[in-house]
Amino acid sequence: MSQAGADSLAPEAVEPLLRGRFGRPYLYERECPSTQALVLGRGLPEGAVAVAEHQTAGRGRLGRRWEEPPGSSVLVSVLLRPPSDRRPPELSLVGGLAAAEAIEEVTGLATQLKWPNDVMLDRRKVAGVLAELAEGEVALGIGINVNQRREELPADAPTPPGSLRTVTGRAYDRAPLLATLLLRLERAYDAWREGGLDALYGGIGARDFLRGRRITVDGQAATAVQILRDGRLEIETEPHVLHAIESGEIRYAA
Ligand code: BTN
C-alpha cells in the first residue's frame, strides 16, 4: 500500500482508474447497512455500482452476516439487468470468476473457485459473491478481504477465511483492485450474456476447488465431482450415483 491509512475507495481515487462501462455512476458511502440495498429499485443504469468503506449489516449467502473492519475490504454491489433467457443464479459464478481474475492480477497468485460463490487463495476464502434478484434487476455483491490482519477475520466462518494480506504478507491499494474487478466483471458479464456459462467454463472449470473432495451438502456426505457447464455442481453420493445440485451448503474436509 502506498501509505498506511491513505488507502481509499472514494470517487476521486477510483473514477480515474475506471476503463469500462461499469462504475458509472459510482455511488460511494463511508458507512451503510449494505451496498446491495443502494442499487436495487432505483432506476439506475446497468453497471451502476455502490461501494462502501464499511457495512453495518453486510449480507452473506444463506442469511449470514458479512463483516469487516472499516477500510479493510472491497465491498461493491453492481446493478445488472440480465436478459430473460439467462439464469440469474449463474451470476454468482460470473462474479466469482471476475473476482478470481482480479485477485490473480493484483497478487500474481493462482486462485480457485469454491462452488457456488467463494474465491479461495491458498485454501482460504478471500472473497464471496451474493446475487440478489428483484423485479428483473440483480444486485451482484462482491466482498474481497484485502487488508485485514488474521485477528480481524471472522473466527466462526464455515470456510477458513483469509485476506490478501494474511495470505501474501503485504497490504494492497484497494482502488486499483476495485477498478480491475469492475473491468473483469464487465468482460465476464458480456461473455455470459452472449454465450452463457459455457463461454466462461474454461476459467471456471480450471479453478474448481471442490473437484474430487469429500464434502457434505446440507449435512449429507458426498464427493464433489465437478462444476458442470451449466453451473450446477455434480456430486457422487454412492459409488457411481451422480447428482447435479443447484444450491446447498457445502462443507469440505480440510
Ligand atoms: C458470501 O460469501 O456469503 C457472500 C458475501 C457477499 C458480501 C458482499 S460485500 C458487498 C455486498 N454487500 C453486501 O451486503 N453483501 C455483498
Side-chain angles (χ1 to χ4, degrees), residues 142-153:
I142 301 177
I144 305 179
N145 298 333
V146 184
N147 289 324
Q148 288 100 322
R149 298 171 194 276
R150 196 170 305 280
E151 62 275 15
E152 293 173 324
L153 294 165

Side-chain angles (χ1 to χ4, degrees), residues 34-36 55 58-61 66 75-77 117-118 125 128-130 141-143:
S34 165
T35 54
Q36 294 290 89
Q55 296 181 133
R59 309 209 276 252
R61 194 167 159 265
W66 185 263
L75 307 168
V76 57
S77 296
N117 72 325
D118 298 343
K125 174 171 174 173
V129 183
L130 180 68
I142 301 177

